[in-house]
Amino acid sequence: MISLHTSPLDQPGTGDAGGMNVYVIELSRRLAAQGIAVDVFTRATSSSLPQVVEAADGVLVRHVAAGPFEGLAKGELPGQLCTFAREVLRTEAMQPLGHYDAVHSHYWLSGQVGALARDRWNVPLVHSMHTMAKVKNEALADGDTPEPLSRVIGEEQVVEAADLLVANTDTEARQLVDLYGASPDAVEVIHPGVDLSVFAPRGRAEARRELGLPEDAAVLLFAGRIQPLKAPDVLLRAVGVLLEQDPTLRHRLVVPVVGGPSGSGLEHPTALADLADDLGIADVVRFVPPVTQAELAVWSSAATAVAVPSYNESFGLVAVEAQATGTPVVAAAVGGLTTVVRDGVSGLLVDTHDPRDWAATLRRLVDDPALVERLGRGAVAHAQDFSWERTAERTLEAYERAGSRMHAVMAS
């Protein structure tokens, strides 16, 4: 595995750590459980990090020194690709011949390194995009920064080099074909999973007691990185509309925002808190630093609904995790969220980012406990379709298929 720009050991919810970090570590663990030894190469961001960390039985995380340990923005990482790749190749050269059987790269920066490793080691390259510049640029949030042309070109090169591309959903598969010219035969749809032993129904009342939340509160939760792409401002503006329409809601409305600034959100790290002040809702909003997966499961369980108002999501892991706890999700009808959330069954989809439309949808759940319970039951049932064990089995098959494709091309 190559995860250059963010380590699977990092805490999701801040910086560049998010669903991809969870994806890499959970998939690696499940592959290891099937007898597949996994090395994850990632860039070292501190001189105090050990060169190798055993993240689980059969899973080694290798910290590669490439550029300054701290203070290097993601946009500056392309300048370190050669150094990173050299260190990856050097590590392999110290192993017996044919040590690695496949390379699975995550995000386009890793794909650039993976393409070199593929050619040097004569093993198949499987690539997961996680996000795509062309897709992001088509659905930019107000004030967000477009992805540069250098990334677009880099992604096109990775798509061309990979023996197989793993897409999270049918929507992402179509985007790879339509926007990047990928061969449909080279794209495999494999849904990410959820740890159903961590994200499981535990009871809303119990979770609220654990977090010190009122049992009769209407809790509307946002969990994730605080950046324009994730659109937490849409939730806050919708809450402002709700309180404007019905001031009596103020005494029982609680809006936890769990996560930290990330991406372009780092330019104005207090922007969301400032917005809460401007909207006059600071008294109902609670900012919570990034939490562990186990703690996130408690927050999700405690919520009346989890809001995922993103402008784009290749999948939307937070939405699956919330549903697995029995909490309905209100999500933007974009990207992978239309697969992850079954509208009217496990949650509600909103076709716009207009705060009034979001307020109207959230109000349905705030006012109707029976609807919350019905959607909650549907959410648990729907989440059972997503497991990391199934993801690992499908991915292992994809590695085999990628090898067959590579050898067929070489023979032709």
Side-chain angles (χ1 to χ4, degrees):
M1 300 270 188
I2 302 177
S3 179
L4 186 155
H5 80 284
T6 181
S7 170
L9 302 179
D10 289 347
Q11 169 66 58
T14 191
D16 289 317
M20 188 184 115
N21 301 68
V22 177
Y23 184 107
V24 172
I25 193 64
E26 294 293 345
L27 175 59
S28 297
R29 286 172 176 161
R30 297 323 189 281
L31 288 172
Q34 296 192 34
I36 309 299
V38 181
D39 282 7
V40 183
F41 289 89
T42 190
R43 196 181 78 86
T45 55
S46 171
S47 59
S48 64
L49 288 170
Q51 285 189 330
V52 181
V53 174
E54 186 176 20
D57 287 342
V59 180
L60 298 180
V61 175
R62 296 183 178 273
H63 292 114
V64 177
F69 290 114
E70 298 171 356
L72 199 65
K74 188 163 69 172
E76 298 172 295
L77 288 178
Q80 301 302 322
L81 288 178
C82 287
T83 303
F84 187 92
R86 184 178 69 237
E87 294 304 315
V88 170
L89 295 179
R90 181 178 294 169
T91 300
E92 186 272 346
M94 297 171 65
Q95 306 290 343
L97 190 65
H99 181 68
Y100 293 115
D101 297 298
V103 177
H104 189 168
S105 53
H106 300 269
Y107 193 68
W108 76 276
L109 292 168
S110 301
Q112 292 279 320
V113 178
L116 177 61
R118 171 204 186 273
D119 293 343
R120 287 291 297 271
W121 302 342
N122 194 31
V123 299
L125 171 64
V126 174
H127 182 72
S128 296
M129 285 294 224
H130 294 283
T131 63
M132 292 178 276
K134 292 182 181 181
V135 176
K136 289 180 72 173
N137 287 346
E138 284 184 349
L140 276 182
D142 290 340
D144 207 357
T145 306
E147 295 296 323
L149 180 60
S150 58
R151 175 179 171 181
V152 174
I153 294 171
E155 289 178 342
E156 291 173 341
Q157 293 169 340
V158 172
V159 167
E160 184 177 359
D163 296 292
L164 198 70
L165 297 158
V166 172
N168 289 332
T169 63
D170 291 333
T171 299
E172 185 182 356
R174 286 194 299 271
Q175 291 166 339
L176 284 166
V177 173
D178 296 342
L179 299 178
Y180 288 86
S183 167
D185 187 53
V187 181
E188 189 81 28
V189 177
I190 304 175
H191 298 319
V194 60
D195 190 336
L196 297 172
S197 67
V198 173
F199 293 92
R202 63 190 298 143
R204 191 167 291 118
E206 176 190 336
R208 290 184 177 185
R209 282 194 297 272
E210 188 171 334
L211 295 170
L213 297 173
E215 193 166 328
D216 62 346
V219 180
L220 305 177
L221 171 70
F222 172 89
R225 289 174 288 165
I226 299 174
Q227 60 180 158
L229 175 70
K230 302 294 184 181
D233 64 293
V234 171
L235 173 60
L236 265 57
R237 294 180 194 279
V239 169
V241 173
L242 281 173
L243 293 178
E244 179 185 298
Q245 293 173 342
D246 185 359
T248 65
L249 285 175
R250 188 176 293 273
H251 76 279
R252 67 187 189 96
L253 200 59
V254 180
V255 184
V257 176
V258 180
S262 172
S264 55
L266 289 168
E267 297 173 13
H268 305 285
T270 65
L272 203 61
D274 294 341
L275 177 62
D277 286 331
D278 293 342
L279 294 170
I281 62 170
D283 57 318
V284 302
V285 178
R286 298 189 185 186
F287 290 97
V288 181
V291 298
T292 65
Q293 291 275 280
E295 292 169 313
L296 180 58
V298 180
W299 279 103
S300 296
S301 297
T304 305
V306 171
V308 187
S310 306
Y311 284 93
N312 181 63
E313 290 284 353
S314 63
F315 187 65
L317 205 52
V318 165
V320 183
E321 291 168 345
Q323 290 174 115
T325 68
T327 297
V329 170
V330 178
V334 299
L337 291 171
T338 58
T339 297
V340 169
V341 179
R342 291 188 63 192
D343 190 29
V345 176
S346 68
L348 301 172
L349 293 174
V350 186
D351 289 327
T352 77
H353 288 88
D354 186 320
R356 293 194 173 273
D357 293 336
W358 274 79
T361 303
L362 292 167
R363 186 65 188 264
R364 290 178 59 190
L365 296 173
V366 169
D367 288 348
D368 192 346
L371 176 61
V372 172
E373 292 305 314
R374 178 176 68 79
L375 292 176
R377 291 192 296 272
V380 172
H382 184 47
Q384 305 310 302
D385 292 337
F386 305 94
S387 76
W388 285 118
E389 286 75 17
R390 185 176 304 172
T391 302
E393 290 170 4
R394 295 284 315 282
T395 304
L396 192 53
E397 293 170 0
Y399 295 160
E400 298 285 354
R401 185 172 165 227
S404 298
R405 283 180 53 82
M406 183 192 74
H407 293 305
V409 170
M410 292 173 61
S412 62

